[in-house]
Amino acid sequence: MNVIHRPIKFDLALRVCLLLIFAFAVEQAGEPLTTLGPRQMVITTNAKAGVHTRLTDEGAPWKIQRNLQLVRELGAPWIVEFFPWAYIEYGKNTFDWWHTDQVIDHARAQGLTVIARLGLVPAWARPDPRAQETTFNYLDPDHYDDFGDFVYAFVDRYKDRVDHIIIWNEPNLSFEWGMRPVDAQAYVDLLKVAYRRAKEANPNIVVLAGALAPTLEPTGSSAGLNDLIYLQQMYDAGAKDTFDALAAHAYGIRAPIDEAPDPSRVNFRRIELLRDIMQRNGDGEKPVYITEAGWNDSPRWNQAVTPAQRIENTLKALEWVKDKDWIKVLALWVFSYPQATRTFSDNWTFITDDLRPKPIYDEVKQQLTISNVQ
Amino acid sequence: MARSRHLKLLSLLVAAFGLLLLPDFIGIFARPVDETWGRVEQLGVIRFAINPTYMPFDGLGSHGDFFGIDVDIATEIARRLGKRAEFVIAGYDSLYDVLRVGQAAATISALPIDPGKFGLWAYSEPYFEAGQVLVTRLPKSGKTLEVSIAVEYGSEADAAARYLARRRVGVEIKYTQSAVDALKAVDNSWVDAAIVDGVSARQLLPKYPELQIAEQVTSDPYAIAVWGESTRLREAIDAKLAEMKQDGTLQRIVQEWMRK
């Protein structure tokens, strides 16, 4: 009788392989499965409330979703988010839309309206570093059309999902202008290209200019230029027909919400001075979107207020904008960071990096969701 | 014959595997050259970066003199190493960058440990715990059951208390305008306990002899940062910190400044 024996070594090898596969699978913990789920709606007492999220460097879809769920639960219908050109178009006409899709689709699923800030220059659109070292915010006129192409591609792709875009950020600061002297004319030239291309992709897109950084830097300063002066220079350079609304930043620093606007002070109501300039230039019909605002409560920073003051000022600011027809949105900086910075920057946030609401989140949520419930 | 072939194949596989892992083995035992320590040895000086805006840790006098807990700790570490401590001011945002570019050998500035910095930078053992603490009255008898907790409204203590309240039935939070008021509330028995940050607790508790730190609620340790490759410097700092903890010097420095 023939008896067939399975080789012992093969058996052993097979078991070892299976064991290794099992160990590897257990070691590589999977991420929670994330689906968009049914479309949600934001229940709020303040249709102008928003937050600036910071999901640019948040890679995990479940965390993107959870952040945006918490924004909806906060009662804030708007988010401002940064979509870096350099992250998306990593080569000319070569796009990676995956992360952008995640953020925008999850935001829509939560019933949120996205204001998309576009900027950050990819390496291929900057000078060869061997010839000239530049920063991510350096864009010379030779590549304005490349940026315009990206704007077209972005607006076209998301024409059914994103109705608002911001062109650049704080161009009145040298840091944001590629460590060059700020140049309102150059910014307006960029704005013209971006505006034209955005409208080609979607005539209904709302193009926001700015936002300008609130600063008292005088003419000639290497750091930047007073936002009031810069805005007038924009109008002098022909900006009027290159944007539909102005994005503005309204930081309170150490001043309470009700401190009156003054050209010599940076406070929350400085935005009224920006509006005055718009009106003087015949642009009073255009709205203002406050795309960054707030107070910091770090005990380690001399530009901060106490935690109680931060809450009080924030709640009052949300109330203050309600009856201002010319203000469409108040987006508070910043909802969260993917990782704690371990600096005073953490004291801008509303939730921790492990997604736990802070007291200010609870207080704002109470005002935005149930304060008018009888 | 077949067995001999199998053995040869196995030997080849093991040899190939070993070659692949060789750089890792070398890395484990080899240490990068610590140029920072070399400079410290050569000059006899340890240059500490500091942001002198946070007392009682880091202050700057009108004559350019530095003072505070961090200054005393750094000075003592340098002395025990037979070196002299020098201090350079760095902006809060550049306390790490100064190490990268060699403008300082170490940073001591009430620096919280940031896991995101591991690799490029390294930290000493912690020398102070700044996290939130639960403060209660000294127990007269039996176990104190904390039901009502006072916290500064909106603060990290408030966040810790709200987190606790979500997980423990019956916890009631009482809001105050400051950490001082929270401790007064406990001292007056208006509440069972207070949560305050570790710095405030150590500064204020000497004024309230009936109060004690009952529990560490959150952890936020301060440590000295060095550039990641400054292994010998970090080890030297750790050794002296351990001595100072052992002989009570560290506690003495902290207590002296907390009482001021």
Side-chain angles (χ1 to χ4, degrees), chain A residues 9 297 299-300 302 306-308 311-312 315 340-345 347 356-360 362-363, chain B residues 6 53-54 58 92-93 109-110 112-114 117 152-156 158-159 162-163 166 177 220 222:
Chain A
K9 286 180 185 170
D297 62 8
R300 303 285 298 266
N302 60 9
T306 67
I311 290 174
E312 183 185 353
L315 296 179
T341 68
R342 312 296 290 165
T343 69
F344 66 85
S345 295
N347 290 75
R356 275 192 281 156
K358 293 182 171 182
I360 189 166
D362 292 339
E363 301 304 308
Chain B
H6 285 149
T53 59
Y54 186 52
D58 315 294
Y92 195 61
D93 286 342
S109 200
I113 295 176
D114 179 1
K117 298 275 192 297
E152 180 188 356
Y153 178 58
S155 66
E156 288 186 28
D158 184 357
R162 293 183 195 216
Y163 186 75
R166 288 188 184 109
Q177 288 296 309
D220 188 17
Y222 293 163

Side-chain angles (χ1 to χ4, degrees), chain B residues 195-212:
Chain B
I195 296 178
V196 298
D197 64 275
V199 178
S200 297
R202 288 168 182 84
Q203 280 183 304
L204 297 169
L205 280 188
K207 301 186 176 77
Y208 300 97
E210 296 291 314
L211 301 186
Q212 62 171 354

Side-chain angles (χ1 to χ4, degrees), chain A residues 219-235:
Chain A
T219 305
S221 165
S222 59
L225 181 62
N226 184 307
D227 50 330
L228 305 180
I229 299 174
Y230 191 94
L231 181 60
Q232 183 56 54
Q233 288 184 355
M234 282 174 59
Y235 278 111

Side-chain angles (χ1 to χ4, degrees), chain B residues 235-255:
Chain B
E235 288 170 351
I237 290 173
D238 277 343
K240 296 309 159 190
L241 276 176
E243 275 180 25
M244 290 163 66
K245 284 178 191 170
Q246 176 72 27
D247 65 24
T249 303
L250 192 62
Q251 294 88 307
R252 179 180 53 74
I253 291 173
V254 171
Q255 278 170 5

